[in-house]
Amino acid sequence: MRKAVIIGSGVAGLATALRLRKRGFDVTVLEAQAQTGGKAKRITKEGFTWGYGPSLLTMPHLIDELFTYCGKNPSDYYEYVRLDPLCKYFFDDGAVVYAWADLERFAESFQQAAAEPKQNIHKHLQDIFFNYRLTEDIFLKKSVHKLSTYLNYKAFRALLNVHRLGIFTSMNASLEKRFKTPHAVQFFNRYATYNGSNPYRCPATLNVIAAPEYLQGGYMLSNGMPQLIEAMTTLAHEMGVNFCLHTKAEKIEIQNNKAAGVWANGKFYPGDVVVSNMDVQFTYDFLLNQSPKPKRILSQPRSTSAVIFYWGMNRSFSQLDVHNILFSSNYKEEFRHKGELKTIYKDPTVYIFISSKINSSHAPPGCENWFVLVNAPFNCGQDWESLKRDTRASVIRKVKKLLGEDIENNIVTEHVNTPVNIEQDTFSYLGSLYGNSSDNPFSAFLRHPNFSSAIPNLFFCGGSVHPGGGVPLCLLSAKIIDELVR
């Protein structure tokens, strides 16, 4: 039986393990931490439960497809609910917009709350839906580093419509041309943060990031995003995948110019296929330090990171929904601080996710679990203790202004992650959440491929390589590897 060794057990690593096991490989997963999950694992403290990272689920059909591919009924392992509204948006001037699942209702909400003509909302959504359908097969479902990806009708059709994609226009510039109000511009600029980009610099092509959310809806796993990790890990055990926890990979063994296995904790794990779910920068720095590095790819600027507060609140807040955004009063200045000054603006945009509004077991009775995220620059030696303290005060100040609530005394327990912690916990280089930045018009081609062109049998999956970060794209990276191995 052919053997596969997978380094790391994030979403992409687990999905790859399941696919290769289904293909008949003897699969071993090496995980340095005590539990599987990477950025999607669970945190518990004093009766409160949070997911470590991602929370809004889009494209859930990709999860269902994986479990069905493995011959299982998805509902035996997890369930998810469709959110309506998807998110509640608070603007600094007091306007509140609900992103309803029904697009007409959503456009009406924008028109009533922010005076943006609803036809502008509809036109923008129609355009990004078209562009998403035009490009998804090429840039999400296939390797962009293989010639065969472009030798078909879909690629030819995309080429004919390339003028629609806004490759050489910034996202912000395209939105300012489209919309009448700064509210709508700021609202749709936000989608650049889904892959750690700057809307004032990244190409308008990235407007398509919003498409799946409005085409297919936004969802939440009934027990939070960690439920996905737990379901995939359970299925992997049932299928005979071998897990080695507390086992830190030390070196990818190269024999006869091919990947032959992995050294970890002083033991050799042979493999006909080796897959790294580790950040591609660390893979080369620590596991392939004798091999030539793809310098052009690894020298690209890194994406943003985050400061995350996991707060246990001693009461509930009816003003908030499951997902909430409290916008900065000056979005451009916020991104200038992150990008140019490598710090956090004094009035940051605040994201608050409260899973206990769906699953009451995530907090004690009458309480709520707040996952509070502020986008931050990657770690380049900043004083994170000071930034953490200042950002905490900024969040409390922002909540008081927009909700009329002084929450300082409502926080009864707290856990905090900064880029430093994120790097230590998940081996994400410099704490960046999405690998390389996507601000370059050609960033899709400057991400590392899902395979090594220099070392046969070596593959890469996860958020630091093609097609990018986030649960759906990590699942797709596993599917791409499955096809490449086949």
Side-chain angles (χ1 to χ4, degrees):
M1 182 182 291
R2 291 180 298 171
K3 295 180 179 293
V5 183
I6 297 173
I7 303 165
S9 65
V11 169
L14 289 173
T16 304
L18 290 170
R19 287 184 172 276
L20 294 185
R21 181 63 186 143
K22 177 64 177 177
R23 195 169 289 285
F25 280 81
D26 179 2
V27 180
T28 297
V29 178
L30 308 179
E31 172 54 57
Q33 302 295 328
Q35 61 176 311
T36 58
K39 299 186 188 77
K41 59 191 174 185
R42 194 179 299 279
I43 296 175
T44 57
K45 187 175 183 180
E46 297 179 24
F48 294 90
T49 298
W50 306 267
Y52 186 95
S55 53
L56 178 66
L57 175 64
T58 57
M59 305 169 71
H61 65 276
L62 295 176
I63 306 174
D64 295 344
E65 177 190 84
L66 174 64
F67 278 74
T68 302
Y69 174 77
C70 294
K72 301 296 182 180
N73 182 356
S75 63
D76 291 338
Y77 294 84
Y78 58 85
E79 60 181 15
Y80 46 80
V81 295
R82 186 171 186 175
L83 300 174
D84 196 14
L86 285 72
C87 187
K88 188 175 182 181
Y89 293 84
F90 298 81
F91 291 87
D92 192 69
D93 64 358
V96 176
V97 170
Y98 289 85
W100 298 106
D102 179 89
L103 299 187
E104 178 61 28
R105 192 180 181 192
F106 166 47
E108 287 279 3
S109 175
F110 230 117
Q111 183 167 280
Q112 292 176 9
E116 181 66 46
K118 64 180 183 180
Q119 60 267 29
N120 291 352
I121 302 294
H122 284 303
K123 183 64 169 65
H124 180 68
L125 293 177
Q126 289 168 5
D127 284 351
I128 65 172
F129 293 167
F130 179 89
N131 290 343
Y132 175 73
R133 293 184 178 111
L134 185 71
T135 58
E136 65 170 326
D137 282 350
I138 301 170
F139 292 103
L140 298 184
K141 297 181 179 180
K142 300 288 184 181
S143 170
V144 297
H145 303 89
K146 292 286 189 180
L147 180 61
S148 58
T149 299
Y150 308 99
L151 302 179
N152 54 71
Y153 170 73
K154 288 183 177 180
F156 178 67
R157 182 168 178 262
L159 180 63
L160 292 178
N161 287 276
V162 71
H163 61 282
R164 298 178 58 109
L165 302 180
I167 296 174
F168 300 110
T169 302
S170 74
M171 177 184 280
N172 180 75
S174 72
L175 295 173
E176 286 186 334
K177 290 181 180 178
R178 164 62 49 82
F179 295 113
K180 171 185 175 183
T181 66
H183 299 78
V185 174
Q186 186 173 27
F187 181 96
F188 286 104
N189 265 338
R190 172 185 170 253
Y191 285 94
T193 66
Y194 275 37
N195 69 357
S197 300
N198 180 336
Y200 301 92
R201 298 187 62 184
C202 72
T205 314
L206 296 189
N207 280 317
V208 300
I209 291 173
E213 201 167 302
Y214 295 99
L215 261 176
Q216 304 159 6
Y219 299 80
M220 178 184 146
L221 286 158
S222 60
N223 199 21
M225 194 63 79
Q227 185 179 17
L228 172 60
I229 293 297
E230 292 152 6
M232 294 169 73
T233 302
T234 296
L235 177 55
H237 280 298
E238 292 174 356
M239 293 176 66
V241 173
N242 307 301
F243 284 91
C244 299
L245 303 180
H246 297 290
T247 305
K248 186 175 181 180
E250 298 162 344
K251 179 184 178 183
I252 294 174
E253 180 73 15
I254 308 298
Q255 296 177 3
N256 300 321
N257 296 321
K258 294 183 178 180
V262 180
W263 288 93
N265 289 4
K267 179 181 177 181
F268 182 62
Y269 295 84
D272 301 287
V273 167
V274 174
V275 182
S276 178
N277 184 207
M278 191 177 185
D279 188 292
V280 68
Q281 179 77 46
F282 282 145
T283 300
Y284 280 97
D285 285 350
F286 299 123
L287 307 184
L288 292 166
N289 53 11
Q290 301 300 315
S291 301
K293 296 181 181 181
K295 294 181 180 179
R296 186 184 181 196
I297 291 175
L298 298 184
S299 65
Q300 296 300 307
R302 300 296 289 188
S303 75
T304 55
S305 184
V307 172
I308 308 171
F309 301 94
Y310 307 82
W311 285 342
M313 310 297 284
N314 64 5
R315 50 163 287 214
S316 61
F317 294 80
S318 60
Q319 308 97 313
L320 295 174
D321 209 273
V322 178
H323 294 281
N324 309 270
I325 293 290
L326 283 61
F327 274 123
S328 169
S329 61
N330 191 332
Y331 219 32
K332 190 170 187 178
E333 191 63 18
E334 180 181 4
F335 280 94
R336 188 180 78 85
H337 273 69
K338 278 185 293 199
E340 296 178 23
L341 305 181
K342 296 295 185 289
T343 189
I344 300 175
Y345 185 46
K346 63 182 179 181
D347 179 30
T349 296
V350 179
Y351 165 66
I352 302 175
F353 168 58
I354 310 172
S355 66
S356 59
K357 288 184 179 291
I358 298 289
N359 189 329
S360 60
S361 70
H362 288 181
C367 300
E368 288 183 343
N369 64 332
W370 284 26
F371 172 100
V372 182
L373 181 147
V374 172
N375 291 122
F378 59 81
N379 178 36
C380 51
Q382 300 94 323
D383 181 352
W384 287 107
E385 285 303 311
S386 176
L387 281 173
K388 180 171 68 176
R389 182 178 61 250
D390 293 345
T391 303
R392 186 182 192 275
S394 296
V395 171
I396 291 173
R397 189 165 55 246
K398 191 78 176 174
V399 171
K400 184 175 183 180
K401 177 181 179 180
L402 295 184
L403 302 186
E405 299 276 5
D406 188 350
I407 61 170
E408 178 74 58
N409 294 326
N410 297 120
I411 303 170
V412 293
T413 188
E414 178 179 79
H415 179 76
V416 187
N417 273 331
T418 68
V420 174
N421 305 112
I422 291 169
E423 180 173 12
Q424 293 171 346
D425 291 346
T426 67
F427 299 98
S428 299
Y429 182 61
L430 302 181
S432 64
L433 297 175
Y434 308 96
N436 289 350
S437 164
S438 295
D439 289 345
N440 188 303
F442 302 103
S443 59
F445 304 97
L446 294 173
R447 298 188 78 84
H448 196 286
N450 301 106
F451 61 93
S452 170
S453 57
I455 306 172
N457 302 347
L458 177 60
F459 300 88
F460 302 84
C461 64
S464 68
V465 299
H466 177 74
V471 168
L473 300 190
C474 285
L475 291 170
L476 286 170
S477 74
K479 188 174 182 180
I480 291 170
I481 287 178
D482 188 13
E483 294 179 356
L484 291 171
V485 169
R486 182 180 59 188

